[in-house]
Amino acid sequence: MIQDIYPHQFHNAYAPDREAKPADPVFFYRRDRLLLLKEGDSWRLPTVSEFPEESLLVYLFSVDDRSYFLYMGSQDDGSFDEDLVYGGKEREDAPSWEDSKADFLRLHFLREEGSIEKWQYFTAITAFHLHQWYSNNKFCGRCGHETVQKSDERALVCPKCGNHIYPRINPAVIIGVTNGDKLLVTRYANRPIAYDALVAGFTEIGETLEENVIREVREEVGLEVTNIRYYKSQPWGVVSDVLMGFYCDVTGDTTVTLDGELASAIWMDRSEIKGQPDDMSLTNEMMMVFRDGKEPK
């Protein structure tokens, strides 16, 4: 999965006083687009030396012994637009590497194009997660005063009313619905992503993860399930998620009824499961685990 970046090591300890060195990489976002520079057939992030306003750089995390920073000088309002993140109607206009030596490229375009290594994509979406948080919380939601960074933990604080704001992490579930040797494989509607997927959805207020599984399956495909068992979790910074994977067994009628969020949901035998074109997602791993008969019973 995307967080499995060995032999690279990800370090997320908060270090606001970390000194920015000239060669350290910098993430600069405009909405979901990331500034990248082309060198030969590969890409790179701009470096600290290429940003004249070093005071606008915020330390994010490190990978191995290299520190990564976020440029805070963008006028981005931080709003989330799913059509932008997943390509939407403008996807055909996304710039290619042939267009320019420096451009803002969509995150999912980078993944789909395949010119980015898994550990690099992980850093990009984790940085995007923090970019969204910083952008959405420039001002206190309680009193409207401008927020400042805390010195001892990753949090924003309002100096006027004392409100503390921590990075937002949205819990969500990925669900492998099984029927003997068959798995329910889905495709999303209104998304230009031709990837096989599984039933999934965000956790509601006051809801347990198990209740979340039951509700999402019932709402999206009209099925009832039992024998819910946990598999594994995954951070997914594109939408500020932490995803939790579950398998469950269908009970009663196995007829699928779509609610409109999905374009299709098909029962597939183990041998029919193809998965996604890369090993980035928890969804893909769960499909492959079921295909190989290794899912938790």
Side-chain angles (χ1 to χ4, degrees):
M1 294 188 293
I2 196 170
Q3 71 272 22
D4 301 323
I5 63 173
Y6 181 85
H8 299 286
Q9 293 186 332
F10 174 67
H11 306 282
N12 66 354
Y14 184 58
D17 297 327
R18 183 71 57 90
E19 180 182 354
K21 299 178 182 178
D24 287 338
V26 176
F27 290 98
F28 179 18
Y29 288 96
R30 284 181 177 166
R31 305 201 64 167
D32 77 311
R33 294 174 185 258
L34 173 64
L35 179 64
L36 294 173
L37 310 180
K38 184 180 180 183
E39 288 188 345
D41 294 328
S42 61
W43 69 272
R44 71 169 177 86
L45 292 166
T47 62
V48 169
S49 64
E50 293 166 303
F51 282 83
E53 300 173 280
E54 189 172 318
S55 63
L56 296 177
L57 298 178
V58 172
Y59 173 75
L60 296 180
F61 47 73
S62 64
V63 177
D64 301 328
D65 58 353
R66 172 161 286 188
S67 299
Y68 288 78
F69 291 82
L70 177 68
Y71 179 64
M72 301 287 285
S74 170
Q75 297 302 307
D76 183 5
D77 64 3
S79 59
F80 173 74
D81 184 335
E82 188 173 87
D83 283 341
L84 287 175
V85 172
Y86 289 106
K89 296 179 181 179
E90 301 179 29
R91 185 183 174 284
E92 294 179 357
D93 299 325
S96 71
W97 287 122
E98 304 305 319
D99 295 335
S100 174
K101 291 185 178 180
D103 217 327
F104 285 87
L105 300 182
R106 288 196 175 97
L107 289 174
H108 190 76
F109 174 77
L110 292 172
R111 178 186 176 189
E112 193 173 52
E113 191 212 28
S115 62
I116 187 170
E117 294 184 36
K118 181 166 66 173
W119 74 271
Q120 295 170 318
Y121 192 66
F122 172 68
T123 64
I125 69 170
T126 304
F128 180 70
H129 187 165
L130 288 168
H131 156 69
Q132 289 281 93
W133 174 63
Y134 279 118
S135 297
N136 290 337
N137 295 282
K138 294 177 181 178
F139 298 93
C140 176
R142 180 186 294 168
C143 73
H145 196 281
E146 188 172 359
T147 58
V148 297
Q149 296 181 58
K150 286 202 71 180
S151 61
D152 59 345
E153 61 179 342
R154 198 186 301 276
L156 297 171
V157 63
C158 176
K160 183 177 180 181
C161 71
N163 184 29
H164 284 57
I165 309 165
Y166 294 93
R168 176 174 175 173
I169 302 175
N170 303 316
V173 293
I174 302 291
I175 310 161
V177 184
T178 68
N179 180 18
D181 284 329
K182 294 182 179 182
L183 180 71
L184 192 64
V185 178
T186 71
R187 289 280 180 98
Y188 285 104
N190 304 316
R191 288 189 192 178
I193 305 176
Y195 287 2
D196 286 345
L198 300 173
V199 173
F202 291 103
T203 308
E204 297 287 354
I205 295 295
E207 185 176 56
T208 68
L209 296 175
E210 293 81 4
E211 290 169 340
N212 189 183
V213 169
I214 293 169
R215 178 181 56 79
E216 290 293 346
V217 175
R218 183 180 293 150
E219 289 178 354
E220 292 190 7
V221 293
L223 300 174
E224 300 298 325
V225 296
T226 187
N227 189 25
I228 299 169
R229 60 264 193 205
Y230 175 74
Y231 172 64
K232 195 180 286 187
S233 65
Q234 174 179 46
W236 195 253
V238 177
V239 283
S240 305
D241 285 11
V242 58
L243 302 171
M244 288 152 282
F246 291 85
Y247 289 95
C248 57
D249 301 332
V250 68
T251 183
D253 189 358
T254 61
T255 303
V256 173
T257 303
L258 301 180
D259 71 344
E261 183 174 344
L262 299 177
S264 65
I266 302 170
W267 291 110
M268 285 190 179
D269 290 324
R270 296 183 194 272
S271 61
E272 298 176 308
I273 295 173
K274 300 291 193 299
Q276 298 176 348
D278 58 44
D279 64 347
M280 300 277 197
S281 71
L282 174 61
T283 297
N284 183 72
E285 179 168 310
M286 290 178 65
M287 286 190 287
M288 296 300 97
V289 165
F290 183 83
R291 181 198 65 183
D292 297 338
K294 297 179 179 179
E295 76 279 7
K297 305 297 184 181

